[in-house]
Amino acid sequence: MREPVELRRQRILAVVESRGAVKVSALADELAVSVVTVRRDVEELARAGRLRRGHGVARPVRDPAGPPAVPAPRGVDPAGDGGAVALVVPERHSYLYETLHGARTVLEEAGIRIALYLAPQSADAERPLVERALADGARGLLIAPRWRSVRSEELDYGWLADTGVPTVLMERRPRPGSTLHALDSVCSDHWYGTHLAVEHLVSLGHRRIVLAARDDSPTARTVRAAFAEIAAAHPGVDDWTVVLSSPDAVPGPGPSGAGPVPGAPSGSRDHVPDLDLAELLRERGATAAVLHGDVDALMLVQRLAGSGVQVPRDCSVVAYDDVVAALGSTPLTAVAPPRAEIGRAAAELLLHRLSGATGALGPVRRTQVLPELKVRGSAQAITPVSPATN
């Protein structure tokens, strides 16, 4: 499906506002479009006063304010030759780029050199990058593996538990009891985020709710499982269902993506049909939907409008991720995981580890940070139907 021009420009704004100055060529790579297209978008956005344009660079109207400076921890020599800290994140992943920005700010303020590695979308992409970083002398590792399927996650457990340097997982929570259970991690509490979405809709009188979500990341799988658990146990929910938000929202073919997709429509994994959300809402008698992630949410809201279903008049919507949810023609109420804070907390934890002679100060930490609900008006209370009079 071709991305609408306005949605693409909203994504450009989101990236620029979250990361500061960004090269036009980098935006083109991240959005998978031509440099000419992005340059034209940047010119139009600059003309509208929504960003500033430089020589091959797009800048926010106002430079983002960074967090307070974090001093270098005791025992860490910023000017020393102890090697860089390696940051490994998936390419073309706006959500995790904000996490990366938070980590980078802390490390740079502490005078720590950073080596950034962008993992391509192919299977098992992170391991060779980590091995290269270690061969180059990296003394610490911050990593957010893509983990598009449970199988690909489990395949990484063995080598990731044996890097030999202080390692902190960002926005990832390994399976309990696995070899990575005792690895430092900082993650959003996505169960709580899903709880916020459901409680908000129930408080507005919605009792029949649909979750349309991806299934190709740890966050997506957690949101799907949490919604099923919360909705099934909630006395205010009469009916609920879970479906895929997009045909490309599955892990993909191959050994690392093998296995059924919970809640997916019928059909092969390679040919998952487009979701007709309007028809599904009619079939279930649903009045509200939780949509993950943001881009899929905006696309689905546009489709609803094309089918004559208006948000929030006919269907209340809560998005999950809040990367671009506020930028739609209908600004979406959204669950906002603390992306930048995850990166900052992970970097601070890594600096704590690096400050020890052995890199192992104190017990392992598994930190969870609570998301917030940003209310913007895409969800409204159900209007009670007056009883008929004779």
Side-chain angles (χ1 to χ4, degrees):
M1 181 190 307
R2 188 173 181 179
E3 186 175 51
V5 173
E6 184 56 33
L7 178 55
R8 184 178 64 245
R9 291 176 181 174
Q10 290 163 0
R11 292 179 64 196
I12 290 173
L13 283 172
V15 173
V16 171
E17 289 170 359
S18 67
R19 294 181 0 223
V22 184
K23 290 183 177 180
V24 170
S25 57
L27 285 169
D29 289 342
E30 188 168 331
L31 273 62
V33 296
S34 69
V35 172
V36 173
T37 296
V38 174
R39 186 179 297 121
R40 185 166 55 244
D41 289 340
V42 168
E43 289 174 354
E44 289 297 325
L45 291 168
R47 188 175 296 114
R50 302 171 73 183
L51 54 69
R52 292 181 294 150
R53 182 167 63 93
H55 184 64
V57 174
R59 294 184 174 89
V61 175
R62 294 176 181 159
D63 293 329
V70 177
R74 180 183 301 176
V76 174
D77 179 9
D81 295 324
V85 163
L87 277 73
V88 182
V89 295
E91 65 171 348
R92 300 178 184 175
H93 202 305
S94 298
Y95 180 103
L96 288 174
Y97 281 178
E98 292 191 45
T99 301
L100 162 65
H101 182 68
R104 184 187 67 183
T105 303
V106 169
L107 294 172
E108 288 179 346
E109 291 288 350
I112 302 296
R113 189 163 61 87
I114 300 164
L116 175 62
Y117 296 84
L118 298 178
Q121 298 189 39
S122 56
D124 308 318
E126 286 86 6
R127 183 172 185 175
L129 296 180
V130 171
E131 291 174 346
R132 185 190 312 165
L134 295 176
D136 290 341
R139 55 176 164 170
L141 174 64
L142 291 174
I143 184 169
R146 191 178 298 273
W147 285 349
R148 294 195 67 182
S149 70
V150 174
R151 176 60 176 157
S152 66
E153 176 180 334
E154 292 174 344
L155 289 173
D156 283 348
Y157 282 177
W159 66 265
L160 196 48
D162 194 29
T163 63
V165 298
T167 299
V168 180
L169 287 171
M170 300 186 299
E171 201 60 294
R172 299 292 183 256
R173 184 54 50 85
R175 175 174 51 81
S178 70
T179 56
L180 289 189
H181 189 102
L183 190 70
D184 287 321
S185 62
V186 181
C187 186
S188 300
D189 187 342
H190 294 300
W191 187 97
Y192 181 74
T194 308
H195 163 79
L196 289 177
V198 174
E199 284 295 333
H200 182 61
L201 292 171
V202 171
S203 72
L204 296 173
H206 299 280
R207 305 184 68 86
R208 306 176 77 85
I209 307 172
V210 168
L211 170 71
R214 303 188 68 85
D215 191 46
D216 57 357
S217 73
T219 297
R221 291 189 290 275
T222 300
V223 169
R224 294 168 71 89
F227 180 84
E229 176 187 338
I230 293 166
H234 202 297
V237 176
D238 292 339
D239 184 80
W240 60 273
T241 189
V242 178
V243 293
L244 286 172
S245 57
S246 170
D248 65 354
V250 295
S256 64
V261 180
S266 59
S268 71
R269 294 179 56 82
D270 295 332
H271 302 284
V272 177
D274 276 318
L275 170 65
D276 187 341
L277 183 56
E279 178 61 27
L280 179 63
L281 293 171
R282 286 190 289 267
E283 288 178 359
R284 308 293 300 204
T287 58
V290 180
L291 307 178
H292 171 270
D294 271 15
V295 173
D296 290 339
L298 291 175
M299 299 293 283
L300 287 170
V301 168
Q302 289 175 183
R303 287 191 196 173
L304 285 175
S307 299
V309 178
Q310 296 299 316
V311 173
R313 185 194 67 191
D314 306 314
C315 175
S316 288
V317 166
V318 176
Y320 199 104
D321 271 358
D322 201 34
V323 177
V324 294
L327 304 176
S329 57
T330 300
L332 302 181
T333 292
V335 175
R339 297 176 295 276
E341 182 57 36
I342 292 295
R344 285 192 287 268
E348 289 167 358
L349 177 53
L350 184 63
L351 291 178
H352 172 71
R353 295 296 180 207
L354 290 171
S355 69
T358 63
L361 290 177
V364 169
R365 300 183 182 182
R366 292 165 59 86
T367 303
Q368 288 197 111
V369 188
L370 299 186
E372 297 177 284
L373 184 71
K374 301 294 183 68
V375 177
R376 301 190 179 100
S378 63
Q380 68 179 25
I382 293 180
T383 303
V385 178
S386 300
T389 58
N390 293 328

